[in-house]
Amino acid sequence: MNPFKSNQLVDRLEATAKARQATLARFRARPAADDPAVLARQAVRHAVIQAREVRSTEREAARLAAQAEREAEILAAEADAAAERVRQAAEKTERQAALAAEQKAARDARFAARKARARR
């Protein structure tokens, strides 16, 4: 074949017509929408889509359950921390009351000693 041979208009038109015919033949060879093979593929596709949606829903439910569990743990930890703070505050108040009682007793003892010395 001569590499310098130019493509004639007729050759190009024939090639275009052949390409159109091939495309049309491929289109006509497709099965109809009510063909059992097509319906089976559609059923498989729908089953896959539904299974995907079910898995997605299950994942979402599991995620929400885990989130609720984490929130419950956080609330329990906060409640424990609050109870610990209340207990520590009560202990501190008790220690302060005991210290105040000791100081008052010491002060009263000094006062009584001073009064006893003054009476002699």
Side-chain angles (χ1 to χ4, degrees), residues 2 7 11 13 25 45 75 82 86 91 108:
N2 190 356
N7 219 3
D11 293 338
L13 289 176
R45 256 187 240 126
L75 288 175
V86 167
E91 286 178 359
D108 289 346

Side-chain angles (χ1 to χ4, degrees), residues 56-87:
S56 173
T57 304
E58 289 172 352
R59 278 193 307 269
E60 182 68 19
R63 185 187 66 78
L64 290 175
Q67 181 180 359
E69 185 177 324
R70 281 192 304 270
E71 289 175 358
E73 288 174 358
I74 289 170
L75 288 175
E78 288 175 356
D80 289 344
E84 181 65 21
R85 284 192 302 270
V86 167
R87 185 188 62 78

Side-chain angles (χ1 to χ4, degrees), residues 1 7 9 11-14 16 24 34 41 45-46 48-49 55 68 70-71 76 79 89 91 103 112-114 118:
M1 195 170 201
N7 219 3
L9 178 63
D11 293 338
R12 289 192 313 244
L13 289 176
E14 285 177 5
T16 304
L24 186 60
D34 60 350
R41 279 196 309 269
R45 256 187 240 126
H46 287 298
V48 168
I49 290 170
R55 286 192 310 269
R70 281 192 304 270
E71 289 175 358
E91 286 178 359
Q103 289 173 344
R114 194 172 32 212

Side-chain angles (χ1 to χ4, degrees), residues 22-39:
T23 303
L24 186 60
R26 276 197 314 261
F27 180 74
R28 287 185 181 154
R30 281 185 21 200
D34 60 350
D35 187 32
V38 172
L39 293 176

